[in-house]
Amino acid sequence: MRILLVQPPLTPAGPVEPPIGLAALGAWLLARGHSPRILDLELFQRLQRVQDWTACEQEFERTIADFGPQVVGVTSMYSNSLHAARLISRAKAANKNIVTLAGGSHFGALPRQSLARHAELDFVIQGEGESATSQLLDELEGNGEWSAVPSLAWRRGDDIAINPPSKLIDLAELPDPWTTVDQGLLDLTAYLATTGARPGRRVAYLEAGRGCPFECSFCATAPFWHRRYRVKSVERIIGEMRRLHRAGYERIVLVHDLLTVNRRFVRELCEALLDSKLPVEWMANSRTDISLDGILPLLKASGCWKLFFGVESASSRVQEQINKRLDPNAAFSTVANLSSHGLTATCSFVIGFPDETADEIGLSIRAGARLKLLGAETVQFHRLRIWPPAPLSEAGLPRSFDRTALEIEFPYVDVPPQDMAEIAGSPDFFGGYFSTWTAAGDAAQIAQVEMFAHHTVALAPMTIYALLALRPRQFLPAFYTAIARLGPLVRAGLDWDAGRLMRNWRAIAPYLNAIAESVGLSDTEFRLVAALFDYEDERVRFTAVDETQGDKDSPRQFVSAIDIPEAIRRIQREDALGEDLLRPTAILFRKNADDGFSSFAGPLPRPN
Amino acid sequence: MREAMAVTGYIASSEVPNIRKASYVDVRPERDVSDVVARVKGSDVEDVRQGSTEGGLTLVQLVLRTGASVETVQRTTVDVAGMRAFHDPVLNRVRQEATAKQIMV
């Protein structure tokens, strides 16, 4: 059958990666004799260089007219499911005989509500899509026995029937998703054209496997894959990496909820990658309680550059509450160990869990700052979002509409008023855009903490660490007071790719100053914090010099009021920051030929 | 499976065939780092695992004999005389320590 697989627009800007889910499904259907075509409207829009939903709809209609699909299948997340629904309506308007099908993380998680809301939607597939979709196409060609298609939600008269889930497939049965490139369904050069990255830094995603065995209460992904860990073979992954490298990608994100849970597999993968001599870098997800001791040099030798860790919270109580049960201290030793092997990390925290206190959020921000100083490349802060089928989505927590949560994720910069109203009026269907109550602040305050912590840990981790170490209980109330006095941080005023450092620094520095002035620091403590702030101000100005002056202000030499190398060591070890650190120190920053930086410290020159 | 010590990093591709015959080899901890290297005697190298080659540098893992010694050699330029390099992780990318690490072989 001819089936058009559609990716609606996802994000307002940035590189577009090849859609690995649709590639896997397309390859699966090709292997079973069907005729799929992929329409990636995210790519279309980026190549058009204009955000234009009307143009997307027109492209969709052109494709339908050209291809004449018998089935249109649309994938979507919560952020773009309104657009997915509109495409489904357009498909029926173009030809009422087209069968419409939806899947993905939103419609697939809420099949009954999806069919009830959208009269033009014929079928929804829950969870893993490959087997169910091909069986549905077989039934469409055959007897129309919908009840025989596992994981399918369908209309039975006035009712909606939901079939039992399909057996998870053996990933060895999945054909190479990049056969879709050979068959003309995807054009990798078009995706590469959107990266904007310099050679050596072009990133593609590759599905290494599926499923995480853990049961974190806030996670929607693990139950989506039935919590069963599956992984593709080492040979298969390397073959796909080789294909992507030939296409021009040098950095591969191995997509798997928790790749490193199988240490033996990781070892085999690294050994094979090293022997393959493939000049690519790769990263994957891990957990801080998974020991990689003894194989980190192998990870480094195989091209691994980074691991991702969901740390979530630095509070043991919260760790228990969310059923993650990580030892908060494990994150520090893990990141320090990675750094010594030349590997970095992205560490992600979630704030705003039910009953989470302001002190506990402060603990997480302080941990994030320390992780940054231990070598984490990025520390992220996200406020809690509850999406079905996460266990927490069934807890009946009181929630209120979180407008900015929607604005962050919406595929267009501005959310049209009618879309805003539709989502705000549908708490059951768009649950992730509704915040739950937290003891630490209201939804607007937690959104401000999210922005402030994210950018301040990136630019001034020492200053924010010191404030939280010296006055942990006063920090968040002081931040809320600063927001009230200075006005809120404005998301549109911040650069989220951290490319324009001065813009972000100018936005957050006044809040840091306001907090330092209002948390009741002693004179010595204030001098310590001020000295760290001044150093970090110099560092931001040095690294942002191209942005501010257009030339290279290197080397840059100045006097710091504090012994910076020792302050870094103490924060890394979580030792106390005392008055003895207040020793004037000469600092020199230098830009290196390889685009990196060097930093030097020494005693002040003696006066002549 | 046993534990061993190894140095992982980059060396000039032309040096790879003669690693064990060399009086010593300097291994860069990162491709773009040359101011600090791990210095290993060729006779201390028990096994060489060779990875990718790019820009005249080859990724290697040198498995060392028991009792081998590794020197960390730091070079400093004249314009920062009297000052010591320090690592500010916000300013500098993470880079591997130029030392031998424990591995499982």
PDB file of all heavy atoms in Angstrom, chain A residues 267 271 275 277 300-301 340 373 375 535 539 590 594 597 599-601, chain B residues 30 32 49-50 59 77 79 84 86 88-89 92 94 97 101 104:
ATOM      1  N   ARG A 267      31.155  -2.628  26.449  1.00  0.00           N
ATOM      2  CA  ARG A 267      32.547  -3.015  26.224  1.00  0.00           C
ATOM      3  C   ARG A 267      32.735  -3.558  24.800  1.00  0.00           C
ATOM      4  O   ARG A 267      33.667  -3.161  24.086  1.00  0.00           O
ATOM      5  CB  ARG A 267      32.944  -4.072  27.265  1.00  0.00           C
ATOM      6  CG  ARG A 267      34.383  -4.463  27.193  1.00  0.00           C
ATOM      7  CD  ARG A 267      34.717  -5.584  28.169  1.00  0.00           C
ATOM      8  NE  ARG A 267      36.033  -6.059  27.851  1.00  0.00           N
ATOM      9  CZ  ARG A 267      37.155  -5.493  28.267  1.00  0.00           C
ATOM     10  NH1 ARG A 267      37.100  -4.453  29.064  1.00  0.00           N
ATOM     11  NH2 ARG A 267      38.318  -5.958  27.898  1.00  0.00           N
ATOM     12  N   GLU A 271      35.067  -1.915  21.903  1.00  0.00           N
ATOM     13  CA  GLU A 271      36.147  -2.696  21.285  1.00  0.00           C
ATOM     14  C   GLU A 271      35.988  -2.684  19.758  1.00  0.00           C
ATOM     15  O   GLU A 271      36.944  -2.464  19.022  1.00  0.00           O
ATOM     16  CB  GLU A 271      36.093  -4.156  21.769  1.00  0.00           C
ATOM     17  CG  GLU A 271      36.302  -4.364  23.256  1.00  0.00           C
ATOM     18  CD  GLU A 271      37.754  -4.598  23.614  1.00  0.00           C
ATOM     19  OE1 GLU A 271      38.602  -4.432  22.730  1.00  0.00           O
ATOM     20  OE2 GLU A 271      38.021  -4.915  24.790  1.00  0.00           O
ATOM     21  N   ASP A 275      38.395  -0.950  16.880  1.00  0.00           N
ATOM     22  CA  ASP A 275      38.957  -1.742  15.782  1.00  0.00           C
ATOM     23  C   ASP A 275      38.462  -1.266  14.413  1.00  0.00           C
ATOM     24  O   ASP A 275      39.142  -1.446  13.409  1.00  0.00           O
ATOM     25  CB  ASP A 275      38.614  -3.232  15.973  1.00  0.00           C
ATOM     26  CG  ASP A 275      39.351  -3.827  17.169  1.00  0.00           C
ATOM     27  OD1 ASP A 275      40.366  -3.227  17.578  1.00  0.00           O
ATOM     28  OD2 ASP A 275      38.903  -4.857  17.699  1.00  0.00           O
ATOM     29  N   LYS A 277      38.225   1.685  13.451  1.00  0.00           N
ATOM     30  CA  LYS A 277      38.990   2.880  13.062  1.00  0.00           C
ATOM     31  C   LYS A 277      38.095   3.960  12.448  1.00  0.00           C
ATOM     32  O   LYS A 277      38.544   4.793  11.655  1.00  0.00           O
ATOM     33  CB  LYS A 277      40.133   2.535  12.113  1.00  0.00           C
ATOM     34  CG  LYS A 277      41.116   1.540  12.720  1.00  0.00           C
ATOM     35  CD  LYS A 277      42.246   1.236  11.785  1.00  0.00           C
ATOM     36  CE  LYS A 277      43.328   0.368  12.414  1.00  0.00           C
ATOM     37  NZ  LYS A 277      42.921  -0.662  13.356  1.00  0.00           N
ATOM     38  N   LYS A 300      36.875   6.171  25.817  1.00  0.00           N
ATOM     39  CA  LYS A 300      37.622   7.293  25.233  1.00  0.00           C
ATOM     40  C   LYS A 300      38.258   6.874  23.901  1.00  0.00           C
ATOM     41  O   LYS A 300      38.172   7.599  22.906  1.00  0.00           O
ATOM     42  CB  LYS A 300      38.702   7.744  26.229  1.00  0.00           C
ATOM     43  CG  LYS A 300      39.611   8.845  25.725  1.00  0.00           C
ATOM     44  CD  LYS A 300      38.884  10.163  25.668  1.00  0.00           C
ATOM     45  CE  LYS A 300      39.803  11.280  25.195  1.00  0.00           C
ATOM     46  NZ  LYS A 300      39.056  12.524  24.966  1.00  0.00           N
ATOM     47  N   ALA A 301      38.879   5.703  23.906  1.00  0.00           N
ATOM     48  CA  ALA A 301      39.576   5.244  22.695  1.00  0.00           C
ATOM     49  C   ALA A 301      38.605   4.955  21.557  1.00  0.00           C
ATOM     50  O   ALA A 301      38.966   5.035  20.389  1.00  0.00           O
ATOM     51  CB  ALA A 301      40.394   3.993  23.014  1.00  0.00           C
ATOM     52  N   SER A 340      38.594  12.932  34.259  1.00  0.00           N
ATOM     53  CA  SER A 340      39.994  12.516  34.291  1.00  0.00           C
ATOM     54  C   SER A 340      40.339  11.613  33.101  1.00  0.00           C
ATOM     55  O   SER A 340      41.501  11.437  32.765  1.00  0.00           O
ATOM     56  CB  SER A 340      40.315  11.803  35.609  1.00  0.00           C
ATOM     57  OG  SER A 340      39.685  10.548  35.644  1.00  0.00           O
ATOM     58  N   LEU A 373      31.800  22.491  37.643  1.00  0.00           N
ATOM     59  CA  LEU A 373      33.208  22.699  37.971  1.00  0.00           C
ATOM     60  C   LEU A 373      33.994  21.388  38.026  1.00  0.00           C
ATOM     61  O   LEU A 373      35.224  21.398  38.051  1.00  0.00           O
ATOM     62  CB  LEU A 373      33.331  23.463  39.285  1.00  0.00           C
ATOM     63  CG  LEU A 373      32.898  24.923  39.129  1.00  0.00           C
ATOM     64  CD1 LEU A 373      32.669  25.574  40.472  1.00  0.00           C
ATOM     65  CD2 LEU A 373      33.916  25.711  38.321  1.00  0.00           C
ATOM     66  N   GLY A 375      33.556  19.289  35.586  1.00  0.00           N
ATOM     67  CA  GLY A 375      33.798  18.970  34.180  1.00  0.00           C
ATOM     68  C   GLY A 375      32.578  18.675  33.340  1.00  0.00           C
ATOM     69  O   GLY A 375      32.723  18.301  32.182  1.00  0.00           O
ATOM     70  N   TYR A 535      35.577  37.609  39.003  1.00  0.00           N
ATOM     71  CA  TYR A 535      36.361  36.680  38.177  1.00  0.00           C
ATOM     72  C   TYR A 535      35.484  36.121  37.048  1.00  0.00           C
ATOM     73  O   TYR A 535      35.899  36.067  35.881  1.00  0.00           O
ATOM     74  CB  TYR A 535      36.914  35.537  39.033  1.00  0.00           C
ATOM     75  CG  TYR A 535      37.515  34.428  38.207  1.00  0.00           C
ATOM     76  CD1 TYR A 535      38.800  34.534  37.688  1.00  0.00           C
ATOM     77  CD2 TYR A 535      36.779  33.277  37.911  1.00  0.00           C
ATOM     78  CE1 TYR A 535      39.337  33.523  36.895  1.00  0.00           C
ATOM     79  CE2 TYR A 535      37.305  32.265  37.130  1.00  0.00           C
ATOM     80  CZ  TYR A 535      38.590  32.387  36.625  1.00  0.00           C
ATOM     81  OH  TYR A 535      39.111  31.391  35.840  1.00  0.00           O
ATOM     82  N   ARG A 539      35.780  36.313  32.982  1.00  0.00           N
ATOM     83  CA  ARG A 539      35.803  35.121  32.128  1.00  0.00           C
ATOM     84  C   ARG A 539      34.749  35.216  31.029  1.00  0.00           C
ATOM     85  O   ARG A 539      35.005  34.901  29.866  1.00  0.00           O
ATOM     86  CB  ARG A 539      35.562  33.873  32.976  1.00  0.00           C
ATOM     87  CG  ARG A 539      35.671  32.575  32.180  1.00  0.00           C
ATOM     88  CD  ARG A 539      35.479  31.371  33.072  1.00  0.00           C
ATOM     89  NE  ARG A 539      34.206  31.424  33.755  1.00  0.00           N
ATOM     90  CZ  ARG A 539      33.960  30.923  34.949  1.00  0.00           C
ATOM     91  NH1 ARG A 539      34.911  30.320  35.628  1.00  0.00           N
ATOM     92  NH2 ARG A 539      32.777  31.017  35.500  1.00  0.00           N
ATOM     93  N   ARG A 590      44.303  33.083  27.936  1.00  0.00           N
ATOM     94  CA  ARG A 590      44.874  33.148  26.591  1.00  0.00           C
ATOM     95  C   ARG A 590      44.067  32.272  25.641  1.00  0.00           C
ATOM     96  O   ARG A 590      43.679  31.159  26.004  1.00  0.00           O
ATOM     97  CB  ARG A 590      46.328  32.664  26.630  1.00  0.00           C
ATOM     98  CG  ARG A 590      47.100  32.994  25.359  1.00  0.00           C
ATOM     99  CD  ARG A 590      48.535  32.559  25.460  1.00  0.00           C
ATOM    100  NE  ARG A 590      48.641  31.120  25.641  1.00  0.00           N
ATOM    101  CZ  ARG A 590      49.747  30.488  25.985  1.00  0.00           C
ATOM    102  NH1 ARG A 590      50.853  31.177  26.240  1.00  0.00           N
ATOM    103  NH2 ARG A 590      49.782  29.185  26.112  1.00  0.00           N
ATOM    104  N   ASP A 594      44.062  26.468  18.659  1.00  0.00           N
ATOM    105  CA  ASP A 594      43.064  25.447  18.324  1.00  0.00           C
ATOM    106  C   ASP A 594      41.646  25.841  18.738  1.00  0.00           C
ATOM    107  O   ASP A 594      40.755  25.016  18.829  1.00  0.00           O
ATOM    108  CB  ASP A 594      43.425  24.132  19.005  1.00  0.00           C
ATOM    109  CG  ASP A 594      43.537  24.285  20.510  1.00  0.00           C
ATOM    110  OD1 ASP A 594      42.889  25.179  21.066  1.00  0.00           O
ATOM    111  OD2 ASP A 594      44.265  23.511  21.131  1.00  0.00           O
ATOM    112  N   PHE A 597      41.030  27.592  25.157  1.00  0.00           N
ATOM    113  CA  PHE A 597      41.564  28.645  26.009  1.00  0.00           C
ATOM    114  C   PHE A 597      42.529  28.036  27.021  1.00  0.00           C
ATOM    115  O   PHE A 597      42.395  26.883  27.397  1.00  0.00           O
ATOM    116  CB  PHE A 597      40.439  29.353  26.772  1.00  0.00           C
ATOM    117  CG  PHE A 597      39.406  29.979  25.882  1.00  0.00           C
ATOM    118  CD1 PHE A 597      38.158  29.384  25.727  1.00  0.00           C
ATOM    119  CD2 PHE A 597      39.675  31.155  25.194  1.00  0.00           C
ATOM    120  CE1 PHE A 597      37.197  29.961  24.909  1.00  0.00           C
ATOM    121  CE2 PHE A 597      38.719  31.740  24.378  1.00  0.00           C
ATOM    122  CZ  PHE A 597      37.478  31.136  24.230  1.00  0.00           C
ATOM    123  N   SER A 599      44.349  29.028  30.923  1.00  0.00           N
ATOM    124  CA  SER A 599      44.255  29.952  32.058  1.00  0.00           C
ATOM    125  C   SER A 599      45.466  29.736  32.962  1.00  0.00           C
ATOM    126  O   SER A 599      45.902  28.599  33.183  1.00  0.00           O
ATOM    127  CB  SER A 599      42.959  29.716  32.824  1.00  0.00           C
ATOM    128  OG  SER A 599      42.709  28.336  32.991  1.00  0.00           O
ATOM    129  N   PHE A 600      46.024  30.837  33.463  1.00  0.00           N
ATOM    130  CA  PHE A 600      47.215  30.806  34.306  1.00  0.00           C
ATOM    131  C   PHE A 600      46.979  31.697  35.519  1.00  0.00           C
ATOM    132  O   PHE A 600      46.266  32.692  35.443  1.00  0.00           O
ATOM    133  CB  PHE A 600      48.440  31.308  33.531  1.00  0.00           C
ATOM    134  CG  PHE A 600      48.715  30.524  32.278  1.00  0.00           C
ATOM    135  CD1 PHE A 600      48.091  30.851  31.084  1.00  0.00           C
ATOM    136  CD2 PHE A 600      49.577  29.434  32.295  1.00  0.00           C
ATOM    137  CE1 PHE A 600      48.325  30.121  29.929  1.00  0.00           C
ATOM    138  CE2 PHE A 600      49.816  28.700  31.135  1.00  0.00           C
ATOM    139  CZ  PHE A 600      49.195  29.042  29.954  1.00  0.00           C
ATOM    140  N   ALA A 601      47.623  31.322  36.632  1.00  0.00           N
ATOM    141  CA  ALA A 601      47.509  32.127  37.853  1.00  0.00           C
ATOM    142  C   ALA A 601      48.873  32.230  38.505  1.00  0.00           C
ATOM    143  O   ALA A 601      49.713  31.337  38.362  1.00  0.00           O
ATOM    144  CB  ALA A 601      46.515  31.486  38.815  1.00  0.00           C
TER     145      ALA A 601
ATOM    146  N   GLU B  30      44.673  14.613  24.161  1.00  0.00           N
ATOM    147  CA  GLU B  30      43.587  14.975  23.250  1.00  0.00           C
ATOM    148  C   GLU B  30      44.216  15.363  21.925  1.00  0.00           C
ATOM    149  O   GLU B  30      45.366  15.792  21.870  1.00  0.00           O
ATOM    150  CB  GLU B  30      42.768  16.166  23.792  1.00  0.00           C
ATOM    151  CG  GLU B  30      42.204  15.986  25.178  1.00  0.00           C
ATOM    152  CD  GLU B  30      41.066  14.974  25.255  1.00  0.00           C
ATOM    153  OE1 GLU B  30      40.510  14.622  24.191  1.00  0.00           O
ATOM    154  OE2 GLU B  30      40.754  14.514  26.368  1.00  0.00           O
ATOM    155  N   ASP B  32      43.816  17.951  20.139  1.00  0.00           N
ATOM    156  CA  ASP B  32      44.214  19.351  20.003  1.00  0.00           C
ATOM    157  C   ASP B  32      45.051  19.850  21.183  1.00  0.00           C
ATOM    158  O   ASP B  32      45.165  21.044  21.400  1.00  0.00           O
ATOM    159  CB  ASP B  32      42.980  20.232  19.803  1.00  0.00           C
ATOM    160  CG  ASP B  32      41.949  20.024  20.901  1.00  0.00           C
ATOM    161  OD1 ASP B  32      42.244  19.277  21.846  1.00  0.00           O
ATOM    162  OD2 ASP B  32      40.858  20.609  20.809  1.00  0.00           O
ATOM    163  N   ARG B  49      46.919  -0.860  20.587  1.00  0.00           N
ATOM    164  CA  ARG B  49      45.619  -0.912  19.905  1.00  0.00           C
ATOM    165  C   ARG B  49      45.480   0.381  19.130  1.00  0.00           C
ATOM    166  O   ARG B  49      45.653   1.469  19.674  1.00  0.00           O
ATOM    167  CB  ARG B  49      44.495  -1.068  20.910  1.00  0.00           C
ATOM    168  CG  ARG B  49      44.642  -2.326  21.726  1.00  0.00           C
ATOM    169  CD  ARG B  49      43.346  -2.701  22.359  1.00  0.00           C
ATOM    170  NE  ARG B  49      42.371  -3.027  21.334  1.00  0.00           N
ATOM    171  CZ  ARG B  49      41.104  -3.348  21.616  1.00  0.00           C
ATOM    172  NH1 ARG B  49      40.693  -3.353  22.855  1.00  0.00           N
ATOM    173  NH2 ARG B  49      40.265  -3.652  20.645  1.00  0.00           N
ATOM    174  N   GLN B  50      45.147   0.249  17.867  1.00  0.00           N
ATOM    175  CA  GLN B  50      45.152   1.402  16.986  1.00  0.00           C
ATOM    176  C   GLN B  50      43.728   1.742  16.569  1.00  0.00           C
ATOM    177  O   GLN B  50      42.975   0.871  16.139  1.00  0.00           O
ATOM    178  CB  GLN B  50      45.997   1.049  15.754  1.00  0.00           C
ATOM    179  CG  GLN B  50      46.327   2.219  14.885  1.00  0.00           C
ATOM    180  CD  GLN B  50      47.184   1.769  13.702  1.00  0.00           C
ATOM    181  OE1 GLN B  50      47.917   0.789  13.783  1.00  0.00           O
ATOM    182  NE2 GLN B  50      47.073   2.490  12.605  1.00  0.00           N
ATOM    183  N   LEU B  59      44.766   7.638  16.840  1.00  0.00           N
ATOM    184  CA  LEU B  59      44.305   7.313  18.184  1.00  0.00           C
ATOM    185  C   LEU B  59      44.872   5.947  18.564  1.00  0.00           C
ATOM    186  O   LEU B  59      44.697   4.979  17.823  1.00  0.00           O
ATOM    187  CB  LEU B  59      42.788   7.285  18.201  1.00  0.00           C
ATOM    188  CG  LEU B  59      42.056   6.892  19.480  1.00  0.00           C
ATOM    189  CD1 LEU B  59      42.452   7.809  20.629  1.00  0.00           C
ATOM    190  CD2 LEU B  59      40.559   6.968  19.255  1.00  0.00           C
ATOM    191  N   THR B  77      54.988  28.277  27.976  1.00  0.00           N
ATOM    192  CA  THR B  77      55.595  29.284  27.103  1.00  0.00           C
ATOM    193  C   THR B  77      56.094  30.469  27.923  1.00  0.00           C
ATOM    194  O   THR B  77      55.671  30.688  29.055  1.00  0.00           O
ATOM    195  CB  THR B  77      54.596  29.764  26.047  1.00  0.00           C
ATOM    196  OG1 THR B  77      53.381  30.069  26.704  1.00  0.00           O
ATOM    197  CG2 THR B  77      54.366  28.712  25.001  1.00  0.00           C
ATOM    198  N   ASP B  79      55.693  33.687  27.748  1.00  0.00           N
ATOM    199  CA  ASP B  79      54.855  34.838  28.105  1.00  0.00           C
ATOM    200  C   ASP B  79      54.079  34.646  29.392  1.00  0.00           C
ATOM    201  O   ASP B  79      53.463  35.567  29.899  1.00  0.00           O
ATOM    202  CB  ASP B  79      53.912  35.196  26.945  1.00  0.00           C
ATOM    203  CG  ASP B  79      52.913  34.094  26.665  1.00  0.00           C
ATOM    204  OD1 ASP B  79      53.237  32.939  26.960  1.00  0.00           O
ATOM    205  OD2 ASP B  79      51.825  34.413  26.165  1.00  0.00           O
ATOM    206  N   ARG B  84      51.332  29.739  36.812  1.00  0.00           N
ATOM    207  CA  ARG B  84      51.088  28.300  36.625  1.00  0.00           C
ATOM    208  C   ARG B  84      49.743  28.096  35.951  1.00  0.00           C
ATOM    209  O   ARG B  84      48.763  28.786  36.258  1.00  0.00           O
ATOM    210  CB  ARG B  84      51.087  27.593  37.974  1.00  0.00           C
ATOM    211  CG  ARG B  84      52.433  27.655  38.654  1.00  0.00           C
ATOM    212  CD  ARG B  84      52.444  26.801  39.888  1.00  0.00           C
ATOM    213  NE  ARG B  84      52.284  25.383  39.539  1.00  0.00           N
ATOM    214  CZ  ARG B  84      52.499  24.403  40.395  1.00  0.00           C
ATOM    215  NH1 ARG B  84      52.867  24.656  41.632  1.00  0.00           N
ATOM    216  NH2 ARG B  84      52.346  23.151  40.024  1.00  0.00           N
ATOM    217  N   PHE B  86      46.265  26.656  35.311  1.00  0.00           N
ATOM    218  CA  PHE B  86      45.237  25.999  36.127  1.00  0.00           C
ATOM    219  C   PHE B  86      44.045  25.700  35.227  1.00  0.00           C
ATOM    220  O   PHE B  86      43.868  26.325  34.176  1.00  0.00           O
ATOM    221  CB  PHE B  86      44.843  26.840  37.344  1.00  0.00           C
ATOM    222  CG  PHE B  86      44.013  28.062  37.036  1.00  0.00           C
ATOM    223  CD1 PHE B  86      42.632  28.034  37.179  1.00  0.00           C
ATOM    224  CD2 PHE B  86      44.613  29.246  36.619  1.00  0.00           C
ATOM    225  CE1 PHE B  86      41.864  29.157  36.904  1.00  0.00           C
ATOM    226  CE2 PHE B  86      43.851  30.374  36.339  1.00  0.00           C
ATOM    227  CZ  PHE B  86      42.481  30.336  36.474  1.00  0.00           C
ATOM    228  N   ASP B  88      40.319  25.798  34.629  1.00  0.00           N
ATOM    229  CA  ASP B  88      38.974  26.294  34.933  1.00  0.00           C
ATOM    230  C   ASP B  88      38.043  25.555  33.980  1.00  0.00           C
ATOM    231  O   ASP B  88      38.043  25.816  32.777  1.00  0.00           O
ATOM    232  CB  ASP B  88      38.906  27.808  34.703  1.00  0.00           C
ATOM    233  CG  ASP B  88      37.507  28.352  34.972  1.00  0.00           C
ATOM    234  OD1 ASP B  88      36.550  27.548  34.995  1.00  0.00           O
ATOM    235  OD2 ASP B  88      37.382  29.574  35.151  1.00  0.00           O
ATOM    236  N   PRO B  89      37.248  24.630  34.490  1.00  0.00           N
ATOM    237  CA  PRO B  89      36.432  23.792  33.594  1.00  0.00           C
ATOM    238  C   PRO B  89      35.416  24.585  32.779  1.00  0.00           C
ATOM    239  O   PRO B  89      34.918  24.085  31.774  1.00  0.00           O
ATOM    240  CB  PRO B  89      35.712  22.834  34.552  1.00  0.00           C
ATOM    241  CG  PRO B  89      36.508  22.864  35.809  1.00  0.00           C
ATOM    242  CD  PRO B  89      37.079  24.251  35.903  1.00  0.00           C
ATOM    243  N   ASN B  92      37.935  25.967  29.895  1.00  0.00           N
ATOM    244  CA  ASN B  92      38.644  24.962  29.098  1.00  0.00           C
ATOM    245  C   ASN B  92      37.801  23.715  28.936  1.00  0.00           C
ATOM    246  O   ASN B  92      37.145  23.293  29.879  1.00  0.00           O
ATOM    247  CB  ASN B  92      39.935  24.541  29.793  1.00  0.00           C
ATOM    248  CG  ASN B  92      40.835  25.716  30.050  1.00  0.00           C
ATOM    249  OD1 ASN B  92      41.216  26.412  29.136  1.00  0.00           O
ATOM    250  ND2 ASN B  92      41.134  25.955  31.315  1.00  0.00           N
ATOM    251  N   VAL B  94      37.014  19.847  28.839  1.00  0.00           N
ATOM    252  CA  VAL B  94      37.549  18.723  29.604  1.00  0.00           C
ATOM    253  C   VAL B  94      38.643  18.055  28.803  1.00  0.00           C
ATOM    254  O   VAL B  94      38.516  17.869  27.594  1.00  0.00           O
ATOM    255  CB  VAL B  94      36.418  17.703  29.868  1.00  0.00           C
ATOM    256  CG1 VAL B  94      36.975  16.340  30.203  1.00  0.00           C
ATOM    257  CG2 VAL B  94      35.540  18.186  30.988  1.00  0.00           C
ATOM    258  N   GLU B  97      43.604  13.455  31.693  1.00  0.00           N
ATOM    259  CA  GLU B  97      44.893  13.569  32.378  1.00  0.00           C
ATOM    260  C   GLU B  97      45.925  12.785  31.576  1.00  0.00           C
ATOM    261  O   GLU B  97      45.635  11.693  31.081  1.00  0.00           O
ATOM    262  CB  GLU B  97      44.803  12.970  33.781  1.00  0.00           C
ATOM    263  CG  GLU B  97      43.916  13.761  34.715  1.00  0.00           C
ATOM    264  CD  GLU B  97      43.624  12.981  35.989  1.00  0.00           C
ATOM    265  OE1 GLU B  97      44.031  11.806  36.095  1.00  0.00           O
ATOM    266  OE2 GLU B  97      42.977  13.558  36.877  1.00  0.00           O
ATOM    267  N   LYS B 101      46.058   4.810  32.823  1.00  0.00           N
ATOM    268  CA  LYS B 101      44.798   4.487  33.506  1.00  0.00           C
ATOM    269  C   LYS B 101      44.629   2.970  33.561  1.00  0.00           C
ATOM    270  O   LYS B 101      45.135   2.248  32.690  1.00  0.00           O
ATOM    271  CB  LYS B 101      43.606   5.074  32.751  1.00  0.00           C
ATOM    272  CG  LYS B 101      43.768   6.500  32.259  1.00  0.00           C
ATOM    273  CD  LYS B 101      43.413   7.488  33.299  1.00  0.00           C
ATOM    274  CE  LYS B 101      43.394   8.926  32.843  1.00  0.00           C
ATOM    275  NZ  LYS B 101      44.077   9.306  31.637  1.00  0.00           N
ATOM    276  N   MET B 104      40.700  -3.046  31.698  1.00  0.00           N
ATOM    277  CA  MET B 104      40.508  -4.495  31.732  1.00  0.00           C
ATOM    278  C   MET B 104      40.896  -5.029  30.359  1.00  0.00           C
ATOM    279  O   MET B 104      40.423  -4.520  29.346  1.00  0.00           O
ATOM    280  CB  MET B 104      39.036  -4.844  32.010  1.00  0.00           C
ATOM    281  CG  MET B 104      38.475  -4.220  33.285  1.00  0.00           C
ATOM    282  SD  MET B 104      39.328  -4.747  34.781  1.00  0.00           S
ATOM    283  CE  MET B 104      38.829  -6.451  34.853  1.00  0.00           C
TER     284      MET B 104
END
